[in-house]
Amino acid sequence: MTPVTSAPPADERVGSPRLLDRLVLRPEIGALLGALLVFVFFSTVTEQFLSTGGVATWLDDASTLGIMAVAVALLMIGGEFDLSAGVMTASSALVTAILATKLGWNVWLALLVSLVFALAVGALNGWLVMRTGLPSFIVTLGTFLALQGLNLGITRLVTGTVQVSGMRSAEGYSSAGYLFASTFTIGGTSFYVSIVWWILFTVIAATVLVRTRFGNWIFAVGGSALSSRAVGVPVVRTKILLFMTTAGAAWLVGSINILRFTSVQANQGIGLEFQFIIAAVIGGCLLTGGFGSAVGAAIGALIFGMARQGIVYANWNSDWFQLFLGVMLLAAVLVNNALRRRAERVRR
Amino acid sequence: MTSTRKGLRTGPVRLGLALSGLVLLAACSGPGGDTSANTGTAAAQAPTGDLRVAVITHGSAGDAFWNVVKNGATDAGKQLGVTVDYNSDGDPGRQSTLIDNAASQKVGGIVVSMANPDALKTSIENAVKAGIPVITINSGSDKSSSFGALAHVGQEESVAGEEAGRKLKEAGKTKLLCVIHEAGNVGLNQRCDGARTGFGGAVSNLQVDINNPTDVESRIKGALQTDPSVDAVLALNPQVAVSSVSAVKGASSKAAVATFDLNADVTAAIKSGDVLFAVDQQQYEQGYLPIVMLKLYRDNANTVGGGKPVLTGPGFVDKSNVDKVAEYAERGTR
């Protein structure tokens, strides 16, 4: 029975964390620092990087990658992978192109059918993963190979060659083109509309993720599917919707590509799926799910675009590009990891 | 769960909406629109001083064939005092971005290979509009002048394929396997179609993946074992040719191997009789000549080719001339 002599310490739960600590908690902070670093570096090293034409070029490069990276980030936060996302961009473009040029459909109708096709493949991916309990890595690897074969087989069967072209003369091309592949001018420089799609997609995804109930479900199923099922989160529906989102984003990118380049190759998109994952990881997503950010993934894609074009502006030998990417990825992951460790110590 | 739930403040949302608003207000132009505003109407470069040329190809990094093209371009650059930047990307979308990139750098000339001309149309036309001379190489000759390019340097794929087919026919072959190693490359299909025309006999195509040498060899081997009557294999790439030779030996087939393009291994195989002949498109010239042409165009307003493609092939390498060529293949110029 010793009498209390000192005043009780202040309760740490009601204190407010310092600003720096609050910043450290954000998953995209590592990517943001990286983006600033890359931006400042190439702006000082090269002349054209900051010219309006230069900015338009690297934003254009980052835009389609960014749309996919954001969708893949949502899926990864939900604890799943989609390796078929890269080839899906070519598949949806091929469906659109074949329907419009070989069957003479209106482009809008062709776009609608290829969207349905993409969503169906996405739903199939999700359903297989949930139904079999196999890792999505395995299931979507199967889809990836199957789509790759379909792309080549059907293209050659229908056209006798390995690329579909001639979109320009299809009915409804110009109106669809306005939506997906036009340019707009700001201050005398043309920017591709795909940049707007990217920003729009990122804003919608970020809002859904942190402002809606569905966003909570995404974090929950990625964090622990069992616990979230126990508290009444519709796990199956959430994950299937996430796979459909990735496929839908792939359709959007495929449509942007086919309307802008008016032709599509049967082997397009192979290998891109890893770039989407890398961009999402640089943006703070974890491979284990339950953590990450849509804005971060968009910034990850921006780093990609800036680096890809910056290396060209700097007149470096492009042979080293992949090495640079690999080192950057490792650095980003290490920074993210360090920040997260620190975040876990911060009082909230 | 961590506090990612806490405040995505409305910042990004507002910014996004503001930007979208800007776009709605901004002037729009249709798909494949004129982006020449990027480069302005400034003359590409004064006709004196340094000339800088961007070479943008569709070869994948580390491809032996494109390495020779690159050597041709850089050698010409060294000899003529021209700065040459070489970049490549197999994805047509990214290739067009590289062209935009070169145009916004206001280079003195652009050399581009067109495996997929439609995808590059807008970017090339914009570069031409901005006053940058463009020369197309290797493939896409039929679209070259309509895009506004000065000239095309390359080989007509169907003509080359036809010649190869004819030569195999003359060697008394009756059944041909044509090995395609890149799924999206139209030129390769044209070669096989040309070979079908020239050969006259039965020709079947086989699809393999160049990035996986093991797969190339085992698929060719499988095809030869499945149909022992195949007596000729036409490879469209030197790496595939070497795999074909191993596959023929592995399947104990009697098939003769012929190939497009050269490297040191192929010349050795021609010497030893494993490969009948190689169709050589002399791609070193596809790197070298455009640099010369761009320099002549700038310094003397000369053009080359008279609106027709400048052909670098097909040349044939067989036992009669292989020794000299081998020496040059060793140093990466054939």
Side-chain angles (χ1 to χ4, degrees):
Chain A
M1 295 299 174
T2 48
V4 180
T5 48
S6 60
D11 188 343
E12 84 277 1
R13 285 168 305 182
V14 295
S16 68
R18 293 193 310 273
L19 175 69
L20 186 68
D21 290 337
R22 283 233 302 274
L23 272 179
V24 158
L25 288 175
R26 308 213 45 87
E28 59 273 296
I29 195 74
L32 198 60
L33 290 175
L36 276 174
L37 207 67
V38 172
F39 178 80
V40 170
F41 175 76
F42 282 118
S43 304
T44 47
V45 168
T46 74
E47 287 169 37
Q48 292 86 6
F49 189 79
L50 259 186
S51 69
T52 44
V55 173
T57 308
W58 51 256
L59 278 179
D60 172 36
D61 192 5
S63 60
T64 44
L65 173 64
I67 292 170
M68 291 309 298
V70 168
V72 166
L74 293 190
L75 182 69
M76 281 172 72
I77 295 168
E80 302 291 348
F81 276 107
D82 189 353
L83 294 184
S84 67
V87 178
M88 196 67 223
T89 59
S91 298
S92 53
L94 281 165
V95 171
T96 307
I98 287 173
L99 292 176
T101 59
K102 298 294 155 193
L103 302 184
W105 289 22
N106 184 302
V107 172
W108 287 103
L109 192 59
L111 283 171
L112 190 70
V113 170
S114 68
L115 175 62
V116 171
F117 163 78
L119 292 178
V121 173
L124 177 75
N125 270 337
W127 181 79
L128 277 174
V129 169
M130 296 317 292
R131 189 62 208 256
T132 58
L134 285 169
S136 51
F137 197 90
I138 305 295
V139 171
T140 56
L141 188 60
T143 326
F144 159 65
L145 296 170
L147 284 175
Q148 203 180 321
L150 271 178
N151 286 357
L152 184 57
I154 291 192
T155 308
R156 205 195 292 271
L157 194 71
V158 174
T159 64
T161 169
V162 289
Q163 61 185 33
V164 189
S165 55
M167 278 300 280
R168 252 176 242 281
S169 51
E171 187 193 342
Y173 165 75
S174 53
S175 57
Y178 262 106
L179 187 61
F180 291 109
S182 56
T183 55
F184 58 93
T185 311
I186 298 178
T189 305
S190 300
F191 290 83
Y192 273 98
V193 78
S194 55
I195 299 167
V196 182
W197 280 106
W198 174 33
I199 295 166
L200 203 66
F201 196 83
T202 308
V203 170
I204 292 170
T207 312
V208 166
L209 196 59
V210 298
R211 287 259 180 273
T212 65
R213 192 171 59 160
F214 185 70
N216 273 350
W217 289 350
I218 296 175
F219 280 114
V221 297
S224 166
L226 283 177
S227 320
S228 43
R229 186 174 282 128
V231 295
V233 174
V235 176
V236 175
R237 197 193 335 159
T238 305
K239 291 207 175 187
I240 287 181
L241 273 172
L242 285 175
F243 276 106
M244 288 171 78
T245 306
T246 328
W251 167 83
L252 176 60
V253 170
S255 307
I256 289 171
N257 284 342
I258 184 67
L259 290 164
R260 173 168 165 189
F261 301 119
T262 67
S263 71
V264 53
Q265 288 177 196
N267 66 339
Q268 232 162 282
I270 295 168
L272 292 184
E273 59 281 343
F274 289 111
Q275 292 185 8
F276 307 153
I277 292 171
I278 290 169
V281 169
I282 290 177
C285 287
L286 293 184
L287 295 190
T288 47
F291 188 81
S293 115
V295 177
I299 297 172
L302 184 68
I303 292 179
F304 243 90
M306 288 194 296
R308 227 174 355 214
Q309 300 305 318
I311 286 177
V312 180
Y313 284 129
N315 298 320
W316 291 354
N317 188 336
S318 53
D319 295 353
W320 300 97
F321 177 71
Q322 299 287 2
L323 172 72
F324 179 80
L325 268 190
V327 171
M328 199 171 68
L329 172 70
L330 280 175
V333 176
L334 289 173
V335 168
N336 283 343
N337 209 17
L339 287 171
R340 211 164 32 84
R341 284 243 174 87
R342 188 185 161 133
E344 281 160 4
R345 290 203 306 271
V346 170
R347 300 168 310 169
R348 281 204 273 278
Chain B
M1 243 335 291
T2 63
S3 77
T4 33
R5 287 285 295 107
K6 266 198 233 159
L8 166 103
R9 288 164 208 77
T10 46
V13 183
R14 262 202 236 122
L15 181 74
L17 291 176
L19 278 169
S20 316
L22 250 183
V23 169
L24 291 175
L25 293 173
C28 273
S29 65
D34 172 16
T35 54
S36 61
N38 282 351
T39 46
T41 45
Q45 231 164 8
T48 51
D50 286 345
L51 175 61
R52 246 185 78 199
V53 175
V55 181
I56 298 155
T57 72
H58 65 268
S60 52
D63 182 298
F65 175 92
W66 288 103
N67 185 42
V68 175
V69 176
K70 183 180 178 177
N71 289 343
T74 46
D75 286 359
K78 278 192 200 109
Q79 288 160 21
L80 299 168
V82 176
T83 315
V84 175
D85 304 324
Y86 180 92
N87 282 291
S88 64
D89 203 312
D91 179 276
R94 281 208 297 279
Q95 212 195 336
S96 84
T97 312
L98 285 170
I99 298 170
D100 294 342
N101 184 321
S104 70
Q105 291 191 59
K106 300 193 174 57
V107 293
I110 295 177
V111 178
V112 58
S113 70
M114 299 199 295
N116 188 334
D118 284 7
L120 306 180
K121 184 174 193 273
T122 312
S123 294
I124 290 177
E125 282 173 349
N126 285 333
V128 171
K129 269 192 205 121
I132 299 172
V134 175
I135 290 182
T136 58
I137 58 168
N138 185 263
S139 39
S141 59
D142 48 340
K143 295 279 172 69
S144 175
S145 58
S146 67
F147 290 179
L150 280 188
H152 179 85
V153 180
Q155 160 178 280
E156 294 294 319
E157 301 295 7
S158 48
V159 174
E162 220 169 304
E163 289 297 318
R166 193 168 297 126
K167 252 182 121 70
L168 284 166
K169 190 181 172 185
E170 284 163 8
K173 304 298 171 191
T174 55
K175 199 157 193 185
L176 174 65
L177 183 71
C178 192
V179 186
I180 296 180
H181 59 265
E182 278 170 15
N185 190 328
V186 177
L188 300 181
N189 282 275
Q190 289 170 340
R191 286 179 185 177
C192 283
D193 293 346
R196 190 167 284 120
T197 312
F199 189 68
V203 179
S204 54
N205 291 5
L206 177 71
Q207 186 78 48
V208 297
D209 178 10
I210 185 73
N211 296 320
N212 185 345
T214 321
D215 163 87
V216 173
E217 186 174 325
S218 50
R219 275 203 219 186
I220 297 170
K221 197 158 134 189
L224 292 171
Q225 282 163 337
T226 318
D227 186 357
S229 64
V230 171
D231 56 6
V233 177
L234 181 59
L236 307 181
N237 164 299
Q239 287 151 321
V240 177
V242 174
S243 302
S244 304
V245 171
S246 327
V248 166
K249 285 181 176 156
S252 347
S253 157
K254 291 278 175 289
V257 178
T259 181
F260 275 73
D261 304 330
L262 280 177
N263 64 7
D265 295 340
V266 170
T267 51
I270 292 174
K271 278 183 200 167
S272 66
D274 287 329
V275 169
L276 201 58
F277 64 85
V279 183
D280 184 15
Q281 63 170 304
Q282 305 177 92
Q283 69 273 25
Y284 184 79
E285 296 177 341
Q286 294 175 11
Y288 195 98
L289 293 178
I291 309 294
V292 178
M293 286 151 87
L294 285 167
K295 187 157 170 68
L296 281 172
Y297 179 74
R298 190 196 65 164
D299 295 346
N300 208 26
N302 285 136
T303 56
V304 181
K308 292 271 187 294
V310 178
L311 297 185
T312 60
F316 285 96
V317 178
D318 52 23
K319 269 214 156 83
S320 64
N321 61 351
V322 68
D323 289 333
K324 195 180 296 171
V325 174
E327 188 187 322
Y328 303 146
E330 289 284 343
R331 61 176 195 199
T333 62
R334 281 302 289 265

